[in-house]
Amino acid sequence: MMTYAAVAVTVLLTAAGAMALVRIVRGPTTLDRIVATDVLLAIIITGIAAEAAFSRDPTALPVLVVVSLLGITGSVGVARFITREKS
Amino acid sequence: MTLENVLDTIAAVCMITGALLSLAAGVALLRFPDLMSRMHAATKPQVLGLLLMLTGCAIRIGALVDITTMVLIAIFQLATAPVAAHMVGRAVYRDGHTRKDLLIVDELAPDADKFTEVSPDQSRQTPGAPR
């Protein structure tokens, strides 16, 4: 039964990641791409957690700690960079 | 049906629900009309999707050391996602990418001239205008 669950989760996450990638490629503004990149990062974290769950192997969990802690830097940096300030 | 089967079923339901939330965010990124509503959809896999997936992971692995790591992951994600969303939303409003016709209430509008040089609507309609 776990095999079916693994296949279902993989298919769902792959479809979600593909749609986020389409938005990154098409997104009319940079901010669209930042939001889509955040979603893609969340999907990647979810996928790594799913892999750890299905194989009962906690090796990848420290990677998730780092990614969830540092995922903020990209979007904050770009958002600060492109905001027009009143001079 | 043994206890392990029951736990595996609960874990599988949690993980499939989390994956469905990720899929919902993917669909919303493609279908929603403007940036603010896309940001609303983007929080689904970042918070609830990840928490459900970590719950399934904790049920499957079941060692206390690893569950502590998962609690850390959840705390870091819950602490950092709102900050990033705040910064992006601020940039969205200041650069005039909001669709005014889709907003029900715009509490920033009376003070908009304090932090933008031109009104957001003007800057969107005539991108080549002097600023």
Side-chain angles (χ1 to χ4, degrees), chain B:
Chain B
M1 203 169 180
T2 61
L3 178 66
E4 187 160 349
N5 280 342
V6 177
L7 286 181
D8 272 0
T9 310
I10 297 173
V13 168
C14 281
M15 286 191 280
I16 290 177
T17 316
L20 276 175
L21 280 165
S22 297
L23 184 76
V27 174
L29 276 182
L30 287 187
R31 297 286 304 156
F32 277 6
D34 75 329
L35 245 165
M36 290 288 191
S37 40
R38 282 185 205 133
M39 283 176 58
H40 148 74
T43 56
K44 267 70 201 168
Q46 279 177 347
V47 179
L48 187 54
L50 183 67
L51 288 186
L52 280 172
M53 195 61 80
L54 287 177
T55 308
C57 205
I59 294 173
R60 280 280 289 178
I61 292 181
L64 195 60
V65 183
D66 303 323
I67 293 178
T68 318
T69 312
M70 289 175 218
V71 171
L72 266 185
I73 297 168
I75 288 175
F76 286 152
Q77 185 71 21
L78 288 179
T80 57
V83 182
H86 172 86
M87 296 301 294
V88 174
R90 180 176 173 274
V92 169
Y93 194 88
R94 292 190 176 204
D95 274 5
H97 295 302
T98 45
R99 293 245 324 251
K100 296 285 181 187
D101 51 328
L102 294 178
L103 291 181
I104 293 172
V105 59
D106 185 3
E107 292 182 332
L108 278 174
D111 299 321
D113 56 334
K114 288 179 187 163
F115 51 80
T116 51
E117 298 195 36
V118 289
S119 84
D121 281 326
Q122 259 179 344
S123 70
R124 193 179 71 241
Q125 280 159 7
T126 54
R131 284 170 182 157

Side-chain angles (χ1 to χ4, degrees), chain A residues 50-58, chain B residues 60-61:
Chain A
E51 191 274 331
F54 285 124
S55 60
R56 288 191 204 270
D57 178 16
Chain B
R60 280 280 289 178
I61 292 181

